[in-house]
Amino acid sequence: MIKTIIDKLLGKEPASRSRKPRFGKREEVPASVHGIDLQLVDPRAIDVVRTLKDEGYEAYVVGGAVRDLLLGLRPKDFDVATNATPEQVKHLFRRAFIIGKRFRIVHVVYGRGREHEVIEVSTFRAFLDNSLAEQVSGNERTSKLALAHMKHAVDASGRVLRDNVWGPQDQDATRRDFTVNAMYYDPETQVVVDFHKGIQDAQKRVLRMIGDPTTRYREDPVRIIRAVRFAAKLSPLGFKIEPKTAKPLVESEHLLKDVPQSRLFDEMLKLLQTGHALASIEQLKKLGLAKGIYPLLDVVVERAEHPFVKAALADTDRRVGEGKPVAPSFMLACVLWQDVKNGWEQRLKKGFHAFPALNDAIDEVFEQRIGDVSGRGKLAADMREIWIMQPRFDKRTGATPFGMVLQARFRAGFDFMRLRADVGEVEEALAEWWQEFQTADDARREDLVAQVREEQRQKQKATQPARRVPRKVEAAESPLDDMAAQSTSELGDAPAKKRRRRRRKPAGNGQAAAADSSQA
């Protein structure tokens, strides 16, 4: 203890720490040990690595893809890390685009249209901590004026402000969050480069933070959310967060208040749209983070057991698992439908017209729940269209059904209504009718609309009150006939004869005039 204090005063590095590499010890693990199946690696990622290596650069598949390969899974996305700069990478590929301002990366694009695939290529970054706070010569593509006020790489609380400095591979590994996400795989030599015993942790099914967890959460509080997301994704495989990594999570939650709302919104969507929404909510509750991360996420967690919201989250997980696209507008529209519906009903009770009332309710929900986040305009437009479509599904006659199926967001609106039917909010028959209508040809559509029209006519006829029919005297056609029938009955039981209507004769005929006068 005394020797340690003296060493600090003299500026000497403690012997125990001097023997341990600051950024981890490099280990090269061969295929015979790690057992990765090369057939699970995307050929396009292999092509990117090979192209960079042929030009003399270092290049590896990195991050979650290596973790999944070690677990025998086929990764959905492949990222590549290299010591080449973004400009050098872009120069080597025909379709490559440099993106980002805070930290520039390269998207190498293969294929076109919906079938295109993007391999994300990033440059090794240096690890910066408090002792290196004056290193601010970063690599952002932004104005010098925007960076003029930034004199430190970290702020007073330890949160990293700038970490966009190129560096060696060992530092790039150390600045990553979890050990199982900090491995590098060379598909040509089939060697895994591991600095922090990530392979052992993957085998033990442990999520462990690189370095001191409290410090790492302070450097970037979003790692709190990432810890939840990875725990949810890997829990079916038996992964658990290491106790030392989990303990500071709740204590560090307040640090999220300093994170931009737009970034928290994006992280929330990753929690709910990567195929493990229900598991993520369970992890939030288990770790004591059910409230306080982000207001809208609090609403999702609170309503997760509501049948409609639970069905929507389960449906999102299912679609991701099947490789189908998912949209945040649909999922959030399901979560906030309860607010919209309540506001709509309140306005209708006050005498508002239906559609203005619905639009007002939607505007109120956007202000209260969504707030001002990046991309809200497009998100809000899609959500509004889904909600506005719901009352229109009730109108199945005239031209409305034909126009509905032509709308760009019809499928999302129908899927929303389909979920409502699944939980009993609307009739099952309504969902089945629209399911058939959207897939039918024109003739069948006309028949379906005609059937609805006939059903509505029959229903209206059945519910319409019976008309009061005036009492009639047999064989009488008018009040004059009533009088004739009465005079006939006075003469006896002789049957009354139906009187034939006569043409009025010209004036001057006394006999005819007397006869008309007697029947008046």
Side-chain angles (χ1 to χ4, degrees):
M1 179 67 180
I2 295 175
K3 186 178 184 302
T4 302
I5 295 174
I6 294 174
D7 287 341
K8 285 185 177 180
L9 291 173
L10 296 176
K12 293 182 179 180
E13 187 75 15
S16 59
R17 293 179 63 184
S18 63
R19 290 195 299 267
K20 182 179 179 181
R22 183 171 180 234
F23 298 110
K25 181 181 178 181
R26 180 187 179 99
E27 295 183 21
E28 295 187 358
V29 183
S32 59
V33 176
H34 61 66
I36 289 178
D37 183 0
L38 189 60
Q39 298 298 318
L40 297 176
V41 184
D42 192 320
R44 291 161 289 200
I46 297 175
D47 179 66
V48 171
V49 170
R50 182 183 296 117
T51 302
L52 287 164
K53 290 184 67 177
D54 287 347
E55 293 296 320
Y57 300 111
E58 295 179 71
Y60 302 87
V61 174
V62 69
V66 183
R67 178 200 65 218
D68 290 349
L69 289 169
L70 282 170
L71 298 173
L73 306 174
R74 185 181 296 278
K76 294 183 179 179
D77 301 302
F78 284 84
D79 297 336
V80 170
T82 179
N83 63 344
T85 66
E87 288 77 14
Q88 291 169 333
V89 174
K90 185 179 186 302
H91 179 71
L92 297 177
F93 298 93
R94 186 173 63 87
R95 297 184 65 207
F97 308 92
I98 298 177
I99 65 168
K101 291 183 179 180
R102 184 172 179 267
F103 181 69
R104 288 176 295 146
I105 59 177
V106 181
H107 279 181
V108 180
V109 182
Y110 290 84
R112 295 185 180 275
R114 293 186 177 181
E115 302 302 320
H116 80 282
E117 180 67 28
V118 174
I119 305 298
E120 189 172 284
V121 183
S122 60
T123 305
F124 295 149
R125 277 191 273 182
F127 180 85
L128 298 180
D129 58 17
N130 291 328
S131 65
L132 302 172
E134 298 302 323
Q135 292 191 17
V136 295
S137 56
N139 302 280
E140 301 95 330
R141 176 175 291 176
T142 185
S143 67
K144 293 181 180 179
L145 183 63
L147 299 176
H149 70 287
M150 298 181 69
K151 297 182 180 180
H152 299 281
V154 296
D155 63 13
S157 68
R159 182 167 62 97
V160 174
L161 300 176
R162 298 180 59 196
D163 59 351
N164 305 328
V165 179
W166 307 148
Q169 185 184 17
D170 60 345
Q171 293 190 30
D172 184 76
T174 301
R175 58 158 293 281
R176 296 177 182 272
D177 42 26
F178 298 97
T179 59
V180 294
N181 292 339
M183 294 175 286
Y184 303 79
Y185 175 63
D186 184 345
E188 289 199 308
T189 63
Q190 297 191 50
V191 167
V192 171
V193 178
D194 186 5
F195 292 91
H196 299 284
K197 301 188 182 300
I199 291 181
Q200 290 92 321
D201 286 345
Q203 293 171 344
K204 295 176 183 177
R205 301 297 195 263
V206 172
L207 276 173
R208 179 169 60 88
M209 182 71 72
I210 297 172
D212 175 56
T214 302
T215 303
R216 301 308 303 278
Y217 293 138
R218 191 164 54 243
E219 289 173 351
D220 185 3
V222 167
R223 287 181 177 136
I224 297 169
I225 306 176
R226 287 170 59 83
V228 175
R229 177 154 57 90
F230 289 130
K233 178 179 181 179
L234 299 174
S235 60
L237 299 176
F239 275 79
K240 293 183 179 180
I241 302 179
E242 179 204 31
K244 283 181 60 178
T245 301
K247 185 178 178 181
L249 283 171
V250 176
E251 300 169 2
S252 305
E253 186 181 12
H254 69 280
L255 298 172
L256 290 167
K257 295 178 181 178
D258 296 327
V259 178
Q261 292 291 295
S262 58
R263 191 177 179 205
L264 288 177
F265 184 79
D266 291 341
E267 290 296 328
M268 179 197 70
L269 294 182
K270 290 178 183 178
L271 266 183
L272 302 176
Q273 291 200 281
T274 53
H276 310 90
L278 293 172
S280 295
I281 290 170
E282 287 302 314
Q283 284 293 328
L284 286 169
K285 294 177 179 178
K286 180 179 178 181
L287 296 170
L289 299 169
K291 278 192 175 183
I293 289 182
Y294 187 66
L296 187 53
L297 182 59
D298 292 348
V299 177
V300 178
V301 175
E302 179 185 337
R303 298 178 179 176
E305 294 303 317
H306 187 280
F308 183 56
V309 176
K310 189 173 184 178
L313 295 173
D315 185 66
T316 299
D317 288 348
R318 177 188 61 80
R319 290 181 64 86
V320 173
E322 295 174 355
K324 296 179 179 179
V326 293
S329 55
F330 181 86
M331 187 259 304
L332 292 179
C334 293
V335 172
L336 298 178
W337 173 239
Q338 178 180 331
D339 295 333
V340 172
K341 190 170 64 170
N342 291 343
W344 187 25
E345 291 172 353
Q346 290 173 8
R347 285 166 173 79
L348 289 176
K349 290 178 181 178
K350 293 179 181 179
F352 283 68
H353 290 293
F355 278 95
L358 181 55
N359 275 301
D360 284 350
I362 292 171
D363 290 339
E364 184 179 52
V365 169
F366 283 151
E367 291 302 322
Q368 292 180 350
R369 298 297 195 187
I370 302 294
D372 186 17
V373 296
S374 175
R376 170 183 159 174
K378 176 67 167 62
L379 180 76
D382 291 346
M383 292 171 67
R384 183 185 297 273
E385 202 163 352
I386 290 171
W387 286 331
I388 289 291
M389 212 176 288
Q390 298 312 300
R392 298 185 64 191
F393 281 113
D394 293 327
K395 186 172 175 55
R396 293 177 290 161
T397 57
T400 299
F402 298 92
M404 285 271 285
V405 294
L406 297 177
Q407 294 187 22
R409 300 290 297 167
F410 169 79
R411 186 67 200 186
F414 169 77
D415 288 343
F416 189 93
M417 189 266 290
R418 172 74 262 180
L419 281 178
R420 293 174 64 206
D422 290 344
V423 299
E425 191 175 307
V426 297
E427 293 183 2
E428 179 69 23
L430 181 67
E432 292 177 353
W433 188 92
W434 279 101
Q435 178 67 51
E436 183 176 2
F437 184 86
Q438 63 184 297
T439 57
D441 57 24
D442 290 342
R444 178 56 183 159
R445 287 180 177 179
E446 293 286 356
D447 290 342
L448 289 169
V449 171
Q451 289 175 11
V452 172
R453 191 185 302 115
E454 178 62 21
E455 289 173 4
Q456 291 178 351
R457 192 184 71 80
Q458 294 293 339
K459 186 176 180 180
Q460 184 178 10
K461 184 178 180 181
T463 57
Q464 188 175 11
R467 292 183 179 180
R468 185 178 179 182
V469 181
R471 183 178 59 85
K472 293 184 180 180
V473 179
E474 187 178 358
E477 292 184 350
S478 67
L480 294 178
D481 294 327
D482 289 343
M483 294 175 65
Q486 183 178 358
S487 59
T488 303
S489 63
E490 291 175 351
L491 295 175
D493 294 332
K497 294 182 179 180
K498 188 174 181 181
R499 180 176 177 274
R500 186 174 61 181
R501 190 179 296 277
R502 298 181 182 178
R503 292 182 57 191
R504 185 182 296 274
K505 292 187 177 181
N509 186 325
Q511 184 179 359
D516 287 343
S517 175
S518 64
Q519 294 178 25

